[in-house]
Amino acid sequence: MAQPEGTPVGRRVVLGMLGLGAVGIWGGRRAQDAISRLLEPVTNNDPTGLTALLPTGGGFRYYSVVGFSPHKSATEYKLTVGGMVDRPATYTLQELRALPQTALTKAFQCVTGWRVSDVHWSGVLLSDLLDRAGVQAGASALRFHSFDGTYTESLSLEQGRRSDVLVALDMLGQPVTSAHGGPVRLYVAPMYGYKSCKWLDGIEVTDKVQPGYWEHLGYDVDGWVGRSNGRSDAQTS
Amino acid sequence: MPRPVDTTGVDEGVYGTGPVAAPSSELQRFTGVEHWVHRSNAILFGVCMISAACLYFGPLAVAVGRRHLVKTIHVAAGVALPMPLVVGWLASTAFREDVSRLNRFSPRDWEWLRRRQRRHAALPVGKFNAGQKLNSAFTVGAIVVMLGSGLVMRFFGPFPVAWRTGATFVHDWLALTLLVVIAGHLFEALRDPESMLGMRTGRVSRAWARSHHRAWEAESAGSGTDPPPDIAP
């Protein structure tokens, strides 16, 4: 058979795609952020919810770091506060709801680019729980444990005492669902989503900050939105 | 007596179990190895897409859970995806020859792309039309780019955080594009049963070849004395 004639368009298509792919990996973050900003208002007003299916199309994404979907019912749930405190305590969900509740409406920003505006959160101020426990002298940090058994997070004591850091019980007007880290999760308004430990069941007061799950995977310990992880998102709080 | 079939590989043989029709009425379009490459590719793509849906689509992710297991399956299928093509390239002369045909664009191909009524065009199309050529090139490019971006997402250790986000960006949007292109590929196949028969049995009727790939049919008609291509020159 004669050698096929003509230009090697197929090879050029493949090489062109490889080039675009490499450029996308190197610089795709900026494009992704731009698309996120563009799609976010659309997604928030889209009754069909279809645009939320687009990559970075807005809306919450579901992540679990373990091989199952963590779940605890409202009745079996317990939160322990311990470590360097005078009065270690265990709270049921009912007891947490009986404490003074604080509400916040803030954006939720993920370090991978997606952002959800105007999320209504309510729950117990973390600093209230710390005051009730009585933090001992020499303590300077907090460690958070998740009942998925793997996820951990940390904050400095100063960060944890901010007035925009909640032990959240409600999200968007209803109890926090399992998919969003319920029945109780942390909500650290000024920081990227990974700092808001999901499926929270333990708060431990420690003498120094111990990097959590995501920090071991390369994210910054001080995860301020717009000022960490090499990102420049608008601040959330 | 001329040999009945022009591209039968001696190392692959003719496959299909039905009675062999009269030589003049059928043409060999694909060999057994090519059929195997296509089938393996399709299965691996399917596994990748189903597992991807379980990782990406919220309600499905919540329902299926087992993120680690699903991720492992997805990564394994993705890493395996180029293998059938590599095996085809190494094992089959007919495959390499078809790759070469798919790679090359003649002026006729550009004209074919510009035509509105391609199906009824009087253009003498070769073994593959320009759409098939573009589809195969896109698929190969997509496999490699998906593999590269997927490996950055999977083995992110040595890469900056920005690259991980960039790789996610590339992987997500190319996956969406692939979904559209594969849907188009299936649509084209389903509306032409004989082209599917050609992939499944390796054989097509001369009449089909004449109406869809006229130049290939003409070339095959005159090639009765050519040696089988899988014999090394």
Side-chain angles (χ1 to χ4, degrees), chain A residues 7-53:
Chain A
T7 43
V9 170
R11 186 188 306 156
R12 287 173 197 170
V13 168
V14 172
L15 292 176
M17 287 177 72
L18 294 191
L20 279 177
V23 169
I25 291 173
W26 173 73
R29 193 178 64 179
R30 232 169 281 165
Q32 172 160 329
D33 291 348
I35 293 168
S36 269
R37 275 194 294 278
L38 212 68
L39 284 179
E40 202 228 323
V42 181
T43 307
N44 289 350
N45 298 305
D46 176 10
T48 64
L50 286 177
T51 48
L53 293 178

Side-chain angles (χ1 to χ4, degrees), chain A residues 99-124:
Chain A
L99 296 174
Q101 304 288 301
T102 302
L104 294 172
T105 299
K106 306 265 186 199
F108 190 89
Q109 173 79 48
C110 179
V111 72
T112 61
W114 55 268
R115 181 184 181 102
V116 183
S117 299
D118 302 327
V119 184
H120 184 269
W121 301 90
S122 86
V124 183

Side-chain angles (χ1 to χ4, degrees), chain A residues 206-226:
Chain A
T206 58
D207 58 348
K208 60 177 197 297
V209 170
Q210 301 169 40
Y213 180 83
W214 289 108
E215 285 89 67
H216 282 298
L217 296 180
Y219 291 140
D220 289 346
V221 174
D222 295 319
W224 304 107
V225 172

Side-chain angles (χ1 to χ4, degrees), chain B residues 75 150-159:
Chain B
V75 171
L151 288 178
V152 172
M153 289 158 78
R154 174 65 187 80
F155 303 100
F156 47 81
F159 308 110

Side-chain angles (χ1 to χ4, degrees), chain A residues 151-202:
Chain A
Y151 195 176
T152 53
E153 259 311 328
S154 65
L155 288 174
S156 71
L157 198 54
E158 188 191 350
Q159 291 164 356
R161 284 199 179 281
R162 284 177 60 117
S163 61
D164 52 7
V165 178
L166 287 183
V167 171
L169 309 178
D170 292 311
M171 171 186 161
L172 296 168
Q174 50 187 345
V176 181
T177 61
S178 287
H180 288 297
V184 175
R185 73 176 292 172
L186 197 63
Y187 176 58
V188 184
M191 295 197 181
Y192 286 109
Y194 65 90
K195 296 298 289 187
S196 295
C197 187
K198 293 160 85 171
W199 307 294
L200 179 70
D201 77 340

Side-chain angles (χ1 to χ4, degrees), chain B residues 198-213:
Chain B
M199 184 46 88
R200 209 162 56 238
T201 66
R203 298 177 148 273
V204 292
S205 72
R206 209 165 257 285
W208 180 87
R210 201 173 297 130
S211 69
H212 291 83
H213 301 274

Side-chain angles (χ1 to χ4, degrees), chain A residues 1 6-7 11 53 67 217, chain B residues 56 66 101 103-105 164:
Chain A
M1 199 202 85
T7 43
R11 186 188 306 156
L53 293 178
L217 296 180
Chain B
Y56 179 83
R66 304 176 188 283
R101 284 176 182 268
N103 180 27
R104 298 276 164 178
F105 252 58
R164 196 191 310 185

Side-chain angles (χ1 to χ4, degrees), chain B residues 13-226:
Chain B
V14 179
Y15 64 108
T17 50
V20 179
S24 59
S25 68
E26 282 202 331
L27 284 175
Q28 172 89 10
R29 187 157 170 81
F30 297 113
T31 65
V33 170
E34 289 178 304
H35 172 74
W36 175 85
V37 169
H38 184 260
R39 178 58 56 88
S40 312
N41 224 324
I43 291 171
L44 289 171
F45 254 118
V47 173
C48 278
M49 289 197 296
I50 292 168
S51 54
C54 295
L55 293 171
Y56 179 83
F57 183 46
L60 213 53
V62 174
V64 174
R66 304 176 188 283
R67 202 170 174 82
H68 186 74
L69 175 69
V70 178
K71 190 178 89 178
T72 306
I73 293 171
H74 184 73
V75 171
V79 168
L81 202 44
M83 301 305 171
L85 294 174
V86 172
V87 170
W89 180 266
L90 295 177
S92 163
T93 308
F95 180 86
R96 285 196 296 274
E97 193 186 289
D98 278 348
V99 168
S100 165
R101 284 176 182 268
L102 286 163
N103 180 27
R104 298 276 164 178
F105 252 58
S106 68
R108 241 181 279 145
D109 288 315
W110 295 112
E111 200 182 333
W112 185 92
L113 282 176
R114 280 193 295 271
R115 291 238 176 152
R116 288 252 171 85
Q117 288 290 325
R118 296 187 187 112
R119 291 269 157 180
H120 308 291
L123 278 176
V125 173
K127 185 168 184 182
F128 302 108
N129 66 42
Q132 291 164 330
K133 291 178 182 181
L134 287 179
N135 178 64
S136 58
F138 172 82
T139 305
V140 170
I143 287 172
V144 180
V145 173
M146 291 304 271
L147 182 64
S149 56
L151 288 178
V152 172
M153 289 158 78
R154 174 65 187 80
F155 303 100
F156 47 81
F159 308 110
V161 171
W163 282 33
R164 196 191 310 185
T165 313
T168 311
F169 170 79
V170 170
H171 208 78
D172 282 1
W173 282 100
L174 186 53
L176 208 65
T177 314
L178 260 170
L179 199 65
V180 173
V181 172
I182 290 173
H185 178 64
L186 290 177
F187 173 78
E188 291 293 342
L190 287 171
R191 68 177 187 161
D192 188 353
E194 187 153 3
S195 76
M196 283 207 296
L197 198 70
M199 184 46 88
R200 209 162 56 238
T201 66
R203 298 177 148 273
V204 292
S205 72
R206 209 165 257 285
W208 180 87
R210 201 173 297 130
S211 69
H212 291 83
H213 301 274
R214 193 150 61 85
W216 175 59
E217 192 269 338
E219 165 198 322
S220 308
S223 67
T225 51
D226 277 1

